[in-house]
Amino acid sequence: NVKGLDELLKKLDNLQSDKIVKEALTKSCLIVEAEAKERCPYDDGQLKQSITSVVDNNIGAVGTNVEYAPYVHQGTGIYAVNADGRKDRWSYKDAEGNWHSTIGQHPNPFLETALESKKPKILEIFKGEIKGAIDD
């Protein structure tokens, strides 16, 4: 016999798990969002400003809708993750009309590294939300 086990089991049965998960996901997504903005390679640009988070149906997501974000995150050309970029040099004209030649851009997985760096904090958040619900 474990003292208090019956009471704990009743509390666990009565937990509003959807509410707990949503609260923990919301807090977790916000800290990953903030970290991703810190790690974003462009300080004042559209990419950094576009990073947002959302929680829906017990699924949390942090990301951006900027068209070039996958190229920054995954790299391009010979540096592309999974080696799925171009294998040859190419040239392009910038907005000012200047020509440049490149073999690609190294990946900068700012979203992925933000999540990885915050995993311990995310676990703390979930533990705290569950403990708080049990202690009530």
Side-chain angles (χ1 to χ4, degrees):
N1 283 342
V2 177
K3 185 177 180 181
L5 181 60
D6 289 338
E7 183 181 334
L8 176 59
L9 290 174
K10 275 186 186 178
K11 286 183 179 183
L12 288 172
D13 282 341
N14 293 330
L15 284 180
Q16 296 175 333
S17 61
D18 284 348
K19 181 181 174 190
I20 293 167
V21 170
K22 184 174 183 178
E23 187 66 27
L25 278 173
T26 299
K27 290 177 180 179
S28 298
C29 283
L30 288 173
I31 66 161
V32 172
E33 176 185 329
E35 184 68 18
K37 287 178 178 180
E38 286 293 316
R39 292 176 180 269
C40 182
Y42 305 111
D43 288 339
D44 299 321
Q46 178 184 6
L47 181 58
K48 182 176 185 174
Q49 294 172 10
S50 72
I51 298 170
T52 59
S53 60
V54 65
V55 174
D56 189 31
N57 293 325
N58 287 340
I59 296 173
V62 177
T64 171
N65 63 355
V66 171
E67 183 179 335
Y68 60 86
Y71 304 112
V72 173
H73 196 272
Q74 301 298 106
T76 61
I78 64 170
Y79 306 112
V81 173
N82 300 325
D84 60 359
R86 289 178 68 154
K87 307 297 183 240
D88 59 339
R89 180 175 296 278
W90 71 93
S91 298
Y92 65 94
K93 188 189 287 190
D94 67 20
E96 287 81 38
N98 300 313
W99 281 93
H100 303 272
S101 181
T102 185
I103 55 174
Q105 171 181 298
H106 290 276
N108 188 329
F110 58 96
L111 291 167
E112 184 178 333
T113 54
L115 174 60
E116 288 299 318
S117 73
K118 294 301 178 183
K119 279 185 177 178
K121 181 64 178 167
I122 292 168
L123 287 173
E124 284 179 32
I125 290 170
F126 273 85
K127 287 177 185 176
E129 289 297 320
I130 293 168
K131 185 177 181 336
I134 291 172
D135 289 346
D136 285 344

